[in-house]
Amino acid sequence: MNQAAGADRTSFPTNGPQALRYRVKGMDCPTCAGKIETAVSRLPGVADVRVNYGSQVLDLALDEAATPRTELEGRIERLGYGVAPLPTASDLAMAQASGGAPPAETAEEPEPPLWRTRKALLGILIGALFAAGFLVEQIAPGVAGEYAYWPGALVGLAYYGRRAAVATFAGTPFSIEMLMSVATAGALAIHAAEEAAIVVLLFTVGEMLEVVAAGRARAGIKALAALVPKTARLVDEADGTIREVAAASLAIGQVVVVRPGDRVPADGVITDGASSLDESPITGESVPKPKEVGDPVYAGSVNADGALQVRVTKTAADNTVARILHLVEEAQASKSPTARFIDRFSAVYTPIAFAFAAAVAVVPPLLGADWGTWIYRGLALLLIACPCALVLSTPAAIASGLAAGARRGLLVKGGAALEVIGRVRTVAFDKTGTLTAGRPRVSDILVFAPDASERSLLGLAAAVESGSSHPIARAILDRASADGVPLRPTRDARAIPGKAVSATVMGQTVLVASPRHAAESARLGPEAERAVADLEAGGKTVVIVVRGAEALGAIAVRDEPRADAAAGISALRRLGVRSVMLTGDNRRTGQAVASELGLDVKAELLPQDKLAEIAALKAAAPVAMVGDGINDAPALAAASVGIAMGGGTDAALETADAAVLNDRVGDVAALVSLSRATLGNIRQNVAIALGLKAVFLVTTIAGITGLWPAILADTGATVLVTANALRLLRA
């Protein structure tokens, strides 16, 4: 914790509860969040505790007359977490009202490399001590015996034992650390030091991987904020001069200049100029939209080809990207991922098992039986109660399932996601870049003039578009290159933002324009108008090539479905999974693609609309969301499980729970099949682990088996569940 910051903030306690916000470093899972919430809630004067482990944020109300702030922070630190104060919503509102700069957050230390994290260093140390013990036992058998493994086991026991003790005093006696500490101590007590060392080593490795996954997820959330530029070109109202200011300082009503190629720094309305804006990161629209005076623009969208003046309508804290970021964080906070099996198990099984073992060791001797015999049997039961095999049953199956998926380019970020994928009954797909390739391509070339041909029409259009980076221009140039059409020299090239591009080709003016703008320069006949209407009804974007005052023909482009999209949807249907398309594209385009692929469609959806659709689907049954853009991030986070296409944006990949790295729609069905196979393997492993324990429980109490068979009950079950899990590698 930043002690100076904490001291400054606690110098003058105020009357009544105060809203506080903290960043809690090391809070990487729901279990961590639960421990912190329990520990903090038990303090006097604390209310309204809200913990978001995804963003590592703790919100609460504190009456410092009952509990000083330093005591609150100290309790969190003693649990093993770092804590630093953050500005609250009221702090930000006060700063905005006063016109001052927002209060700065406590500077975050950069994340250390994986091998330098506390849990990684602990795992390396335990692993090294275990390896040293193994070598000692092999080189000089009988010299050290079981004590060769004690150092590794004791290091783990000291670390997790301390955390278990603190959690117990803070109100969580049956934490996962307590389970591991008791299991390790029990193994040492009955001279199973090798097993004790293995248990703490595997547990530490699992904790380390959890930290990595949580860190990457948080990095994906931070990537959302990078959409908005750090600076803006502000127009001074007094003299009209332009100066560069921080985008976060823009106020409602101010006017900014957005040059071609720049990102829009704030949500606003165009007051001067016209251009095409690429809004795909925000709305998912595959083709840039023409914009003119009076049209709204979104922060983070890219200005393609014309200078604009934009009047700011929303502050940085309330713009589109900020809302998306808020939606992602809220979705992650309200998301209920499968609780780790060991936590649920330890909450019920551990106290019952230990009470039963203690009763077996003590009650019969009190009734006149032999103390030595029943203490021996009690220790055997304690070892049988050791949850090693059960602890491994789920992670072993998950690890094998993840490895099998990785071989096919199916990346799943953890066991909870892999389990949920197999239970989904609906898969919601984004369109652009997910079901489609994400890049418009020429689909049709229509010739209107008798002296023109497809090749000449394509050549003229490519020549005019040769200096443009517009997606439609790239599609035309790609088609010309593929057909071997040479580019003719041009001069006097110019763009009419949002309407057309023109140039002089071989002494004649050639215009490539939208149908509406082309009608101002040349007349389209009834047949040509019907042909254009048919193309647009098919979800295609059409441009007209005009030479002089004559319309030579039309070129249509469309973001075509992926080659395997229809087969992928059919594969899901065979698995009993329904598919639906959620897209920000226009209704006509969405319906055309959906009809071709055979799935339902909801079109013209903004990020918040997608979130609402996901919530409605999720209320009926588990739902998966498949997307590739930043606009999909809230829906990816809110769904039961989010799946990103491998070629998508970093934010989508980091926010999602899984990714299909080969960009194949059919891989979504493969993920469902793999998950279902893994779930079946987990059920088998749990049955093996609990079944063997049940058998040896009876035989131990009956005196048929003793300590060494009890050890086999645990280690044998561990071997069996591991071998069974390895079968998944052949999936």
Side-chain angles (χ1 to χ4, degrees):
M1 184 190 72
N2 185 326
Q3 296 289 351
D8 289 344
R9 296 179 63 165
T10 56
S11 298
F12 302 100
T14 58
N15 295 325
Q18 265 193 299
L20 299 179
R21 167 170 274 215
Y22 290 98
R23 186 174 306 284
V24 183
K25 298 207 68 173
M27 180 173 60
D28 300 306
C29 66
T31 302
C32 299
K35 284 192 297 185
I36 292 169
E37 183 173 1
T38 299
V40 170
S41 298
R42 289 166 63 93
L43 291 171
V46 173
D48 300 329
V49 179
R50 298 181 305 281
V51 184
N52 185 338
Y53 77 90
S55 57
Q56 293 188 313
V57 170
L58 164 67
D59 288 286
L60 73 155
L62 175 67
D63 185 350
E64 293 192 66
T67 298
R69 200 174 307 193
T70 50
E71 183 177 338
L72 166 74
E73 295 165 352
R75 170 162 287 200
I76 298 172
E77 286 186 316
R78 286 191 295 275
L79 286 171
Y81 303 98
V83 57
L86 295 175
T88 65
S90 59
D91 294 333
L92 296 172
M94 288 175 61
Q96 183 175 335
S98 63
E105 297 185 4
T106 301
E108 287 190 67
E109 296 180 4
E111 292 289 338
L114 173 60
W115 65 272
R116 288 184 57 191
T117 61
R118 180 183 298 180
K119 289 181 180 175
L121 293 174
L122 177 65
I124 292 170
L125 176 59
I126 295 174
L129 291 173
F130 178 82
F134 178 79
L135 290 175
V136 168
E137 191 178 32
Q138 295 299 312
I139 295 172
V143 174
E146 66 166 294
Y147 295 103
Y149 296 101
W150 274 64
L154 289 176
V155 167
L157 182 59
Y159 179 79
Y160 293 115
R162 177 187 173 278
R163 296 190 67 172
V166 173
T168 298
F169 288 118
T172 311
F174 297 114
S175 65
I176 192 169
E177 288 84 3
M178 176 62 75
L179 174 68
M180 295 307 302
S181 300
V182 172
T184 305
L188 291 174
I190 57 173
H191 308 290
E194 180 179 0
E195 184 178 74
I198 291 175
V199 167
V200 294
L201 176 60
L202 292 178
F203 180 71
T204 303
V205 171
E207 292 282 291
M208 180 181 65
L209 293 176
E210 189 174 71
V211 170
V212 173
R216 289 180 63 83
R218 282 190 294 274
I221 295 174
K222 292 177 182 177
L224 293 171
L227 275 178
V228 180
K230 299 296 183 185
T231 61
R233 295 171 59 82
L234 178 66
V235 178
D236 193 300
E237 295 182 2
D239 55 14
T241 58
I242 298 174
R243 57 190 174 92
E244 195 168 273
V245 299
S249 68
L250 293 175
I252 295 175
Q254 291 183 323
V255 176
V256 295
V257 172
V258 185
R259 299 170 298 185
D262 287 351
R263 286 190 180 272
V264 179
D267 283 10
V269 175
I270 297 175
T271 59
D272 185 60
S275 182
S276 293
L277 270 75
D278 179 5
E279 296 179 345
S280 57
I282 311 300
T283 67
E285 178 70 55
S286 57
V287 177
K289 285 186 176 180
K291 298 278 187 175
E292 55 189 21
V293 174
D295 288 338
V297 295
Y298 300 118
S301 55
V302 181
N303 182 19
D305 45 32
L308 300 174
Q309 288 194 12
V310 176
R311 185 174 299 279
V312 177
T313 57
K314 291 182 180 176
T315 63
D318 195 38
N319 64 33
T320 302
V321 173
R323 292 200 306 274
I324 293 176
L325 180 61
H326 176 72
L327 288 172
V328 171
E329 292 182 346
E330 287 298 310
Q332 289 190 335
S334 62
K335 198 174 184 179
S336 299
T338 304
R340 289 188 299 182
F341 176 77
I342 193 62
D343 273 346
R344 297 199 308 269
F345 168 72
S346 64
V348 178
Y349 174 85
T350 305
I352 294 176
F354 273 83
F356 185 73
V360 167
V362 174
V363 172
L366 292 177
L367 298 177
D370 177 66
W371 279 96
T373 299
W374 287 98
I375 289 176
Y376 182 85
R377 291 180 183 180
L379 288 174
L381 287 177
L382 188 62
L383 182 58
I384 291 172
C386 181
C388 297
L390 201 53
V391 166
L392 283 175
S393 61
T394 299
I398 293 295
S400 296
L402 295 178
R407 292 176 179 176
R408 291 195 55 183
L410 310 177
L411 176 65
V412 184
K413 300 178 182 178
L418 187 59
E419 291 180 26
V420 173
I421 290 171
R423 300 189 180 105
V424 300
R425 291 295 175 265
T426 303
V427 175
F429 288 92
D430 173 50
K431 181 183 76 68
T432 305
T434 302
L435 291 173
T436 66
R439 182 172 181 176
R441 299 193 180 279
V442 173
S443 59
D444 302 88
I445 301 176
L446 302 182
V447 178
F448 301 152
D451 60 339
S453 65
E454 289 189 8
R455 188 176 178 87
S456 65
L457 189 71
L458 185 61
L460 288 172
V464 173
E465 296 278 18
S466 59
S468 174
S469 60
H470 193 283
I472 293 178
R474 290 199 301 268
I476 292 173
L477 290 168
D478 287 346
R479 176 63 178 270
S481 176
D483 290 357
V485 178
L487 291 180
R488 300 174 182 176
T490 64
R491 58 185 178 83
D492 301 330
R494 68 187 186 94
I496 304 173
K499 296 180 179 179
V501 179
S502 69
T504 300
V505 184
M506 299 179 65
Q508 292 184 296
T509 299
V510 178
L511 189 74
V512 179
S514 65
R516 186 176 65 178
H517 185 69
E520 300 174 5
S521 303
R523 181 179 178 277
L524 296 180
E527 290 187 9
E529 289 180 347
R530 282 195 297 271
V532 170
D534 289 342
L535 290 173
E536 291 182 333
K540 301 172 183 178
T541 300
V542 181
V543 293
I544 308 297
V545 181
V546 179
R547 183 177 59 193
E550 181 184 17
L552 300 180
I555 298 176
V557 301
R558 191 175 78 156
D559 187 10
E560 296 290 342
R562 294 181 185 271
D564 76 319
I569 299 300
S570 297
L572 285 170
R573 192 180 301 115
R574 289 193 296 271
L575 292 172
V577 179
R578 172 186 171 232
S579 299
V580 61
M581 180 199 298
L582 305 179
T583 178
D585 234 334
N586 64 76
R587 192 174 306 278
R588 183 179 57 204
T589 300
Q591 187 61 56
V593 175
S595 299
E596 185 173 339
L597 299 180
L599 75 166
D600 299 330
V601 62
K602 296 290 182 69
E604 299 179 1
L605 302 177
L606 290 173
Q608 57 266 34
D609 301 323
K610 287 187 179 181
L611 196 61
E613 293 291 340
I614 288 293
L617 292 170
K618 190 176 177 181
V623 59
M625 173 68 195
V626 185
D628 75 311
I630 288 177
N631 60 295
D632 301 318
L636 288 170
S640 305
V641 61
I643 303 172
M645 299 298 284
T649 64
D650 290 341
L653 291 172
E654 297 298 344
T655 303
D657 303 296
V660 289
L661 301 183
N662 294 319
D663 274 355
R664 291 192 292 254
V665 176
D667 281 349
V668 177
L671 268 175
V672 174
S673 297
L674 177 64
S675 174
R676 291 180 179 179
T678 304
L679 288 171
N681 194 277
I682 289 172
R683 287 190 288 267
Q684 295 163 7
N685 284 349
V686 171
I688 291 171
L690 292 180
L692 280 176
K693 288 184 183 297
V695 169
F696 279 91
L697 173 67
V698 174
T699 58
T700 299
I701 293 176
I704 300 172
T705 56
L707 195 60
W708 287 108
I711 293 175
L712 293 177
D714 188 63
T715 57
T718 300
V719 172
L720 287 176
V721 299
T722 302
N724 186 52
L726 291 176
R727 295 189 305 109
L728 284 171
L729 293 176
R730 298 195 299 270

